[in-house]
Amino acid sequence: MIIWDDEALILSSINYSETSLILKIFTKKYGVQKGFVKGAKSKKKSSIFETGNLVKVSYKSRTDEMLGVFSVELIKASFLVYIDDVKKFSCIVSIINLIEFSLVENETELELYNVSKNLIERVFSFEEGWIEDYIKWEIFLLKKVGFGLELSRCILSNKKSNLRYISPKSGCAVNEQAGIPWKNKLLNLPNFLISNKKASNLDLNEGFKITSHFLTKFANSIDKTLPFTRTSFIDNIFINKK
Amino acid sequence: MYSKEIDLLINLLSSLQGIGPRSARRIALQLIAKKNTLMMPLGEMITDVAKLIEKCKICGNYDSKNPCSICTNEKRDENIICIVEEVSDLWALERGRLYQGVYHVLGGTLDAIRGISPEKLNIDYLFKKVREKKINEIILATSLTTAGQTTAHYIVSKFKGIDIKITRLARGLPAGGELDYLDEATLSQALYERISVNKEMDTKA
């Protein structure tokens, strides 16, 4: 018998019958997991299983191969409360969809779990800078799926100062001087990614260009298309900033 | 245990959503026991409905007429469109008998992970309708779920720059709902959308 308890973020669910669901969650200690939830579609319980909710889960399964049963308790349902804030709403949907898109089941990702949970809390806080944090989170996710960026020093000159570009091939930073010959082929590296400076609208755009490029590379490597919800989120950011 | 035909009937019945093999066996037995009063009329009715019912080319509802009786009803205000996910939602709103506009059935909700993109839903035709006809208002009646709201936000974003009133259904306490049993999201929405009850005008407090 396999039994465990953990904290998790709800990724998605599929209707199994009139009353039950198959739930996909991102747990703190056990990574992405799937399980069956009996009676999940009752009026009292259905709101617990919404994407992005933070829950406490107990899992039981007879064997490794069998789909186990989840018993789920809600910890925080902050998600639906902010449903009318289109930017924040689409940001959370993008985070959750990207996690589901990128991670395979049964692999522990403790660091990514903590970073993702903190980001969701940050998105719902009233503090500024959550879009910058989202872009940094995408860079962290890229690292976790094997497409990490090296932004601490220039790949050509080994210098740590005046980093201005990023190579679309290697994902490494390039110093302003060293990058002059390839200027048109390189991606611009916004300052907020290598310092604590506040990002301008242009910086955010450059940041999204970088993560879009490498996330698309990752998506191509697994023969998939990036979730459209990510594009919707970026559109919402820039349409509403104009 | 049973003949081939009965087995086939049970299999067909159990392919319906919400009916398992045990319920299918019970239904099959009931039908056989009431062969003349239930099984034959039901069979004929299913055949007739299968022949007659079509999907409305305007709203996506099912009816024996195409366009459906809602779209062709002159008493209905065709300048107000209520957007619903499925035909079952349209029928639910019709049961309330309050709404006098017309509908648009999307045929589902957006789902990035399962590949249900905007092109796979009946969204483009909605924009075409709005552009071609003089629509005053669209009411977003999608579910209060992540998928439902993602779809609603997508529709709103596509109407940006178009002069049209977009509304959504109110959220809050359900009929018969006791505060103690409600989840915090519903309670927060109910508080946020509270209305004045001692003034003639219903304004948000």
Side-chain angles (χ1 to χ4, degrees):
Chain A
M1 193 85 158
I2 300 157
I3 303 173
W4 50 256
D5 290 307
D6 204 353
E7 181 191 288
L9 288 165
I10 292 183
L11 297 179
S12 63
S13 59
I14 308 167
N15 291 343
Y16 181 74
S17 65
E18 291 282 284
T19 55
S20 307
L21 290 175
I22 292 175
L23 196 67
K24 203 170 184 184
I25 55 173
F26 181 31
T27 65
K28 190 174 183 175
K29 290 181 263 179
Y30 304 91
V32 175
Q33 294 284 336
K34 247 190 223 168
F36 182 70
V37 189
K38 286 179 193 164
K41 291 170 83 181
S42 72
K43 274 184 186 173
K44 280 183 188 172
K45 283 187 177 174
S46 60
S47 66
I48 298 175
F49 306 100
E50 277 309 312
T51 302
N53 280 355
L54 184 66
V55 291
K56 188 180 169 232
V57 180
S58 300
Y59 179 82
K60 263 186 202 172
S61 174
R62 275 189 210 161
T63 62
D64 257 345
E65 291 81 32
M66 265 180 79
L67 186 70
V69 177
F70 282 143
S71 108
V72 185
E73 214 178 289
L74 186 68
I75 299 176
K76 201 173 182 188
S78 54
F79 192 46
L80 286 173
V81 179
Y82 296 94
I83 212 154
D84 280 329
D85 188 326
V86 65
K87 283 191 215 170
K88 293 187 174 186
F89 176 85
S90 54
C91 178
I92 304 296
V93 174
S94 180
I95 295 169
I96 296 296
N97 283 171
L98 276 177
I99 291 172
E100 190 169 356
F101 175 81
S102 313
L103 301 185
V104 289
E105 284 174 39
N106 305 321
E107 276 185 20
T108 308
E109 285 291 355
L110 178 65
E111 215 183 347
L112 182 67
Y113 177 85
N114 287 330
V115 175
S116 306
K117 187 185 155 192
N118 289 342
L119 175 67
I120 292 174
E121 277 173 17
R122 179 110 167 86
V123 172
F124 286 135
S125 70
F126 291 95
E127 295 163 43
E128 282 191 350
W130 60 271
I131 304 174
E132 286 94 316
D133 288 349
Y134 173 87
I135 297 170
K136 286 175 186 170
W137 174 82
E138 282 195 338
I139 290 173
F140 187 73
L141 179 71
L142 279 167
K143 185 179 148 192
K144 289 286 162 189
V145 295
F147 282 76
L149 309 182
E150 173 52 82
L151 305 179
S152 61
R153 62 177 70 233
C154 171
I155 190 172
L156 300 172
S157 64
N158 215 21
K159 283 180 183 168
K160 285 184 174 181
S161 63
N162 216 8
L163 300 173
R164 179 73 187 85
Y165 305 106
I166 189 162
S167 160
K169 278 192 179 171
S170 65
C172 296
V174 177
N175 172 281
E176 188 166 17
Q177 286 296 106
I180 289 173
W182 299 279
K183 199 180 160 186
N184 295 332
K185 287 184 180 174
L186 298 172
L187 296 163
N188 286 332
L189 176 63
N191 229 326
F192 80 94
L193 289 181
I194 43 174
S195 69
N196 288 325
K197 278 190 179 171
K198 215 182 149 192
S200 67
N201 207 7
L202 186 72
D203 289 336
L204 293 177
N205 204 357
E206 303 282 14
F208 276 122
K209 265 187 196 165
I210 293 170
T211 52
S212 295
H213 175 82
F214 290 102
L215 280 170
T216 308
K217 249 182 147 180
F218 162 62
N220 291 341
S221 74
I222 54 169
D223 218 11
K224 283 186 185 176
T225 317
L226 280 175
F228 69 85
T229 40
R230 181 181 176 274
T231 318
S232 298
F233 164 57
I234 299 171
D235 288 347
N236 286 331
I237 295 285
F238 293 109
I239 288 168
N240 294 329
K241 278 212 171 208
K242 275 175 190 171
Chain B
M1 194 161 59
Y2 349 91
S3 74
K4 199 174 76 185
E5 290 76 15
I6 295 176
D7 204 28
L8 196 63
L9 176 67
I10 293 170
N11 273 338
L12 274 173
L13 287 168
S14 65
S15 65
L16 293 169
Q17 201 186 2
I19 296 178
R22 191 181 294 207
S23 305
R25 275 197 296 274
R26 249 184 254 141
I27 295 169
L29 263 178
Q30 252 193 71
L31 289 170
I32 293 161
K34 294 172 185 170
K35 193 175 157 186
N36 292 323
T37 55
L38 189 64
M39 198 178 202
M40 300 292 271
L42 185 69
E44 281 164 24
M45 183 53 75
I46 289 174
T47 313
D48 289 348
V49 170
K51 279 180 192 162
L52 282 173
I53 298 299
E54 277 184 69
K55 192 175 183 179
C56 173
K57 59 184 178 188
I58 297 175
C59 70
N61 185 19
Y62 294 124
D63 204 334
S64 52
K65 292 197 284 179
N66 195 359
C68 71
S69 45
I70 295 175
C71 291
T72 49
N73 186 344
E74 287 176 3
K75 286 180 185 166
R76 294 250 178 187
D77 186 349
E78 58 173 15
N79 297 321
I80 304 176
I81 301 178
C82 180
I83 299 166
V84 291
E85 290 168 14
E86 301 284 0
V87 175
S88 56
D89 302 326
L90 185 158
W91 290 357
L93 283 163
E94 278 301 287
R95 284 200 297 273
R97 293 179 187 183
L98 277 170
Y99 178 63
Q100 285 305 312
V102 292
Y103 294 92
H104 180 88
V105 181
L106 293 171
T109 50
L110 297 175
D111 189 333
I113 295 298
R114 283 176 199 92
I116 304 172
S117 55
E119 305 82 56
K120 292 194 177 156
L121 298 182
N122 191 16
I123 294 180
D124 284 345
Y125 185 58
L126 172 70
F127 296 125
K128 198 178 162 216
K129 263 200 280 193
V130 171
R131 262 186 259 119
E132 286 172 3
K133 293 181 181 177
K134 202 183 151 192
I135 307 296
N136 296 330
E137 181 182 354
I138 56 172
I139 303 167
L140 297 167
T142 51
S143 318
L144 188 55
T145 59
T146 315
Q149 294 309 301
T150 303
T151 311
H153 285 314
Y154 176 81
I155 293 170
V156 174
S157 72
K158 290 291 157 191
F159 277 107
K160 236 169 200 139
I162 299 172
D163 186 24
I164 189 167
K165 182 179 174 187
I166 304 175
T167 55
R168 62 157 175 77
L169 297 185
R171 299 162 191 154
L173 302 184
E178 291 174 41
L179 291 195
D180 196 20
Y181 289 100
L182 291 176
D183 60 280
E184 59 186 86
T186 309
L187 272 174
S188 311
Q189 280 291 335
L191 261 176
Y192 179 70
E193 302 201 4
R194 69 194 187 275
I195 56 168
S196 167
V197 288
N198 64 346
K199 285 180 186 166
E200 271 184 22
M201 275 178 66
D202 283 348
T203 49
K204 259 184 206 177

